[in-house]
Amino acid sequence: MNDMSSHPVSPPEMSSAEALHPKERRSRRFAWIGMAASILLFGASLVVLWHIASDIDINELKSAFTAASLRQIGLAVLFTAISYGLLTCYDAIALRQLKLQIPYRTTALASFTSYAVSFTLGFPLLTAGTVRYWIYSPKGVKPGRVASLTVIAGVTFWLGMALVLAWSLISKADEMASLVYTHIWMNQLVGLGAAVFVAAYMIWVSLKRRSVKIQGWKLELPGFRLSLAQILIGAADVCAGAGVLFVLLPGGHGLNFETFVAVYIFAVMLGVASHAPGGLGVFEATILLALSSYPREPVLGALLLYRLCYYLVPFVIALALLGGYEIRNRIRAARLSFKPDDDEVAAGAELGGR
């Protein structure tokens, strides 16, 4: 009879799913739920957009697209430039919070190109973070700092959007209700909730230094003064971005800017939630549904021009700037590799003297 005690039995191998910590399993489950919700939202928006677009006359759409005046296009370009200029302040605030001394020309290049690329390709934490690291790493900025910078810039955007949403929903709750068929009290409640969120955040960061942990690394949040600057700059940027589409809308719509900016913010939020590149399809479907009482062809023509002005043109410029930046770095590196050092110069001078 074999002695079983002399041959210890090894425990059964655990599958990778069983080996996961319960918190990790929950986070993976929520990640799958979030992905499924994003795909569902994107698919539903495409169905709505296709249903709306199927009733559109192509000839009327062409005429609406070409009917924009030079004044409208000029204002759209101006507001686009203002918006992207304010976006460079996002990075400037984050760099100040992280106590990093980076020249503004480098900050402007990294900010503009990262946003222009991420707006078009989507997945901002990945695309914007990659572009920023490409530009900031030669200045000695480590990957963790780049990730922190990207998160702080994102907080600036959401704080500014919450402030503008609170202002527009509270001040124009009645007009918003007639536009999207909601109750006035519901709009005021959402606006009040956004205002309370901004106020609570400001009080929270004012009491003491606050930090959050993201994927194991610690991020210290800006204090009261920098947070106030974040809110104001973010709000101005959101208004400028909304202004691009607002000035491209056909004349005679009768919408005031305060009401329109609330519709714009909801469209942006749904676009972000869908994870579609630039909110493509989701953003347009939301705007078209909210402005369903207006002629569809002119509104869709304005949306196409908006995509051209705010997304496509900056994206092309950003690619050109990134290409020029890489070429310049390659040329500079080649010059340094062929430049003789001081010892070689001294040796050559000594041989020449002999």
Side-chain angles (χ1 to χ4, degrees):
M1 186 173 176
N2 293 332
D3 185 5
M4 299 297 295
S5 62
S6 62
H7 299 282
V9 180
S10 59
E13 294 185 1
M14 297 178 66
S15 64
S16 58
E18 293 173 341
L20 288 175
H21 192 273
K23 289 185 177 180
E24 293 180 359
R25 287 201 296 269
R26 283 197 298 269
S27 64
R28 284 196 175 188
R29 190 180 302 118
F30 285 128
W32 278 107
I33 293 173
M35 182 182 297
S38 299
I39 294 173
L40 183 61
L41 177 61
F42 179 62
S45 299
L46 286 182
V47 171
V48 171
L49 186 60
W50 174 258
H51 178 72
I52 293 173
S54 61
D55 296 331
I56 291 175
D57 188 293
I58 297 298
N59 293 325
E60 291 184 7
L61 177 59
K62 288 180 181 179
S63 62
F65 185 76
T66 56
S69 64
L70 289 177
R71 178 179 177 276
Q72 286 178 296
I73 295 175
L75 286 173
V77 171
L78 175 62
F79 281 122
T80 298
I82 292 173
S83 177
Y84 278 92
L86 289 168
L87 285 172
T88 65
C89 298
Y90 285 24
D91 279 34
I93 289 175
L95 289 169
R96 183 173 179 179
Q97 170 63 21
L98 297 172
K99 298 178 176 59
L100 296 173
Q101 301 293 328
I102 304 294
Y104 178 73
R105 62 179 182 274
T106 303
T107 303
L109 176 65
S111 178
F112 171 76
T113 54
S114 63
Y115 281 113
V117 170
S118 65
F119 284 171
T120 303
L121 300 183
F123 305 101
L125 288 179
L126 177 62
T127 54
T130 301
V131 174
R132 282 192 176 102
Y133 180 70
W134 184 8
I135 296 174
Y136 284 132
S137 60
K139 302 296 182 180
V141 182
K142 297 180 179 179
R145 290 298 185 96
V146 174
S148 300
L149 190 153
T150 303
V151 171
I152 293 174
V155 171
T156 303
F157 171 75
W158 286 105
L159 286 175
M161 197 158 58
L163 179 65
V164 176
L165 185 65
W167 159 61
S168 59
L169 286 181
I170 293 174
S171 63
K172 298 295 180 181
D174 52 344
E175 296 184 17
M176 188 67 180
S178 62
L179 189 65
V180 295
Y181 307 105
T182 56
H183 292 287
I184 295 177
W185 63 266
M186 184 183 297
N187 296 333
Q188 291 175 333
L189 186 62
V190 174
L192 183 62
V196 169
F197 166 75
V198 173
Y201 179 86
M202 292 298 295
I203 294 172
W204 184 61
V205 297
S206 301
L207 295 177
K208 65 177 183 178
R209 289 186 176 182
R210 302 291 184 178
S211 61
V212 294
K213 282 188 176 181
I214 304 175
Q215 297 295 328
W217 48 270
K218 185 178 180 182
L219 170 62
E220 185 174 314
L221 297 173
F224 177 81
R225 286 190 298 176
L226 276 184
S227 295
L228 181 61
Q230 282 183 294
I231 291 174
L232 296 177
I233 290 172
D237 168 49
V238 170
C239 289
V244 177
L245 180 55
F246 185 74
V247 299
L248 290 172
L249 290 175
H253 52 70
L255 275 175
N256 59 65
F257 183 73
E258 292 91 338
T259 305
F260 174 77
V261 75
V263 175
Y264 176 86
I265 289 174
F266 278 120
V268 171
M269 291 173 65
L270 289 175
V272 172
S274 71
H275 293 293
L280 185 63
V282 181
F283 178 85
E284 283 80 2
T286 306
I287 295 293
L288 287 170
L289 282 175
L291 304 182
S292 58
S293 59
Y294 301 95
R296 291 177 180 176
E297 289 80 5
V299 174
L300 188 55
L303 284 167
L304 291 174
L305 277 174
Y306 169 78
R307 283 284 175 187
L308 181 66
C309 291
Y310 198 77
Y311 288 88
L312 184 58
V313 172
F315 179 64
V316 172
I317 294 174
L319 292 182
L321 288 175
L322 289 173
Y325 174 78
E326 182 64 18
I327 292 172
R328 189 193 67 174
N329 287 345
R330 299 261 179 165
I331 293 174
R332 183 176 297 176
R335 286 177 178 174
L336 290 175
S337 64
F338 285 107
K339 183 179 179 180
D341 57 21
D342 294 339
D343 293 338
E344 290 176 347
V345 172
E350 184 178 353
L351 290 174
R354 292 178 182 176

